[in-house]
Structure formats: C-alpha cells, structure tokens
Amino acid sequence: MSKKLVNAIAEMREQDALKLAKEMLEGGSDPVAILDAAREAMGIVGKRYEEGTYFLPELILSGVMLNQIAEMVKPKLAKAAEVKRHGKVLIGTVEGDIHDIGKDIVVFMLDVNGFEVLDLGIDVPPEKFVQAIKDFQPQVVGLSGFLNLAFDSMRDTVEAIKKAGLRDKVKIMIGGGQISDSIREYSGADAYGKDAMAGVSLAKEWVGAK
Ligand code: B12
C-alpha cells in the first residue's frame, strides 16, 4: 500500500494519492509511515526534476499533494500524543528560501509532541528571528532550508543571534534536504536534525522533557 502511495505521488496522480492515503489512515496504518512514503515520493520527484523529466509544475503539484496528506494525517497524530507543553520552539525557513513542506512537518510533529511552536514562515531574515526570540522567548530555535544559499542564511542567522547577545539563551537546530552535520559546523548551530522526529528528540532533550 505504501509503495502504491509513493508511486501515485511520484506519477502526479493526485486523486489516487489522496484516496490511498485516506484508505491507509482508515485502515489503521501508522500516520508517520504515511508521511515517510510521501517524503520518499518527493525524493523521486526531485530526481526527475534534476534529470529534466519533470519541471516546476510537477514540483508544485507534489508540494500540494504532500500538504494535503499532511493535513489528513495531522489529527491522527494529535490524538496519539499527549497535550502537556514541554517548552517553546521558534522556527522558520531562512532568508532566500521558500521551501516549507519539511518545516511544516517539523512544526506539527513538535506541536503534537507537546511544544508551543511559533512559526515565522518562509524567507525569514535574521533580524526577524532575533526580534521573535526577544518577544516569544523560546528555549529552542529551528532553522529550515533546502537551497544551497540556505547554508549562508543559517550562518548569518546564528551570527545575528550571537550579536544580539541571545546565543546562550537558546539552543539552535537546523534541518532541511541538503543540510548535514558539516553545515551545522559551518553555521555555528548546536545540532542538525535529519527529520522531524530528530527535531522533536533534540527539543525534548534540550528542555529536559522525557
Ligand atoms: C517541492 C519543491 C519545491 C516547491 C516548494 C513548495 C513548498 N511549499 O515548500 C517549489 C515548487 C515552490 C520549489 C521552488 C524552488 N525549488 Co524546489 N524543490 C522541491 C522538492 C521537489 C521537494 C522538497 C520537499 O518539500 N521535500 C520533502 C520534505 C518533507 O523534505 P525536507 O524539506 O527535507 O524536510 C524533512 C527534513 O529535512 C527535516 N527538516 C526540514 N526542516 C527542518 C528543520 C529542522 C530544525 C529540523 C530539525 C529538521 C528539518 O524534516 C522534514 C520532515 O522529515 C525538492 C527536490 C528534492 N530532492 O526533494 C526541490 C529542490 C529543493 N528545489 C530546488 C530548486 C532549484 C528550486 C527553485 C530555485 C526552482 C526555480 N528555478 O525557481 C525554487 C526555489 C525558490 C526559493 N527561493 O526557495 C532544488 C535545490 C537545489 C539546490 N541545491 O539549491 C531541489 C533540490 C530540486 C533539484 N534537484 O534541483 N521547490
């Protein structure tokens, strides 16, 4: 079933993909496994885009499908998780980058796992992160990005937080398609999370939640 879902998304069969995701959810499939299948499909779409067999419309449609599936899955995840709030996480896609599908998954995984999350959206300049840290006072800041240019934006954001004298008040995690531990080192962040659950684990560890 999950292979079928991967194929439906990768082949741009929107109605089939949504129907399959609904059937899987109703049949008791693990909601996280459904999201993983959707993510695997995005990888295939990306590869086809790179090879020149898919173009921007396919990228956009795959994003739309993933968002719809994420919305479908969200209530199930929320039901499964406890509601106690562990702490606050500020998150956004860094300056110059508008990819937010992955960030949105991180946001709702944090949310259903008991964090109060402030999402600044996309293309967020360093100053906006700095101001939001002052206002919202999170323990954790999450920076998301998919483009190569996000590496510098992440570094600039960490630098701006440092300059504002706020660096020791927050733990910073970064993530996104091309992000790795060497980008963590380059940017000066505290940790890199490979997926949404890694982000939740990091945030829990940092606020001392079980
Ligand atoms: C969908 C998509 C788009 C959509 C985005 C829609 C949206 N609302 O996000 C649209 C069509 C708008 C788009 C636009 C562009 N895109 Co695009 N896009 C993609 C695509 C196919 C999928 C990305 C995606 O959503 N993946 C699925 C999510 C779930 O994965 P994820 O982001 O990695 O998130 C997971 C983890 O990384 C992690 N995570 C994410 N963030 C964070 C944060 C923290 C704190 C933590 C802990 C974890 C974490 O958790 C998530 C869930 O587990 C990729 C190809 C690919 N290889 O995947 C290209 C890709 C990213 N795009 C690319 C390009 C070039 C562009 C454009 C420049 C195209 C153009 N010519 O205009 C523009 C960029 C505009 C801009 N300024 O940002 C390139 C980037 C190349 C590069 N190295 O810089 C890619 C790799 C395609 C390619 N192979 O060429 N794109």
Side-chain angles (χ1 to χ4, degrees), residues 30-51:
D30 178 2
V32 177
I34 297 176
L35 283 179
D36 281 347
R39 196 168 162 223
E40 190 185 328
M42 300 304 277
I44 299 174
V45 174
K47 201 145 182 279
R48 291 183 184 165
Y49 176 77
E50 249 168 78
E51 292 162 357

Side-chain angles (χ1 to χ4, degrees), residues 2-13 35-55 58-63 65-66 146:
S2 103
K3 197 74 222 152
K4 275 191 186 164
L5 178 60
V6 173
N7 289 337
I9 299 172
E11 285 155 20
M12 301 293 130
R13 288 184 278 114
L35 283 179
D36 281 347
R39 196 168 162 223
E40 190 185 328
M42 300 304 277
I44 299 174
V45 174
K47 201 145 182 279
R48 291 183 184 165
Y49 176 77
E50 249 168 78
E51 292 162 357
T53 46
Y54 277 177
F55 301 94
E58 282 84 6
L59 282 191
I60 294 169
L61 180 56
S62 65
M65 283 191 272
L66 187 59
F146 218 128

Side-chain angles (χ1 to χ4, degrees), residues 106-147:
V106 178
V107 168
F108 81 66
M109 289 304 279
L110 284 165
D111 182 16
V112 300
N113 279 282
F115 286 90
E116 190 181 339
V117 188
L118 177 62
D119 180 1
L120 296 179
I122 54 173
D123 189 15
V124 181
E127 319 79 73
K128 204 167 163 193
F129 276 105
V130 168
Q131 192 54 48
I133 294 172
K134 291 179 184 162
D135 298 339
F136 182 59
Q137 306 203 329
Q139 293 93 341
V140 179
V141 174
L143 306 179
S144 182
F146 218 128
L147 298 177

Side-chain angles (χ1 to χ4, degrees), residues 39 99 102 144-147 151 154 175-180 192-194:
R39 196 168 162 223
H99 292 86
S144 182
F146 218 128
L147 298 177
F151 307 162
M154 286 178 175
Q178 332 238 27
I179 306 303
S180 62
Y192 147 68
K194 76 168 186 356

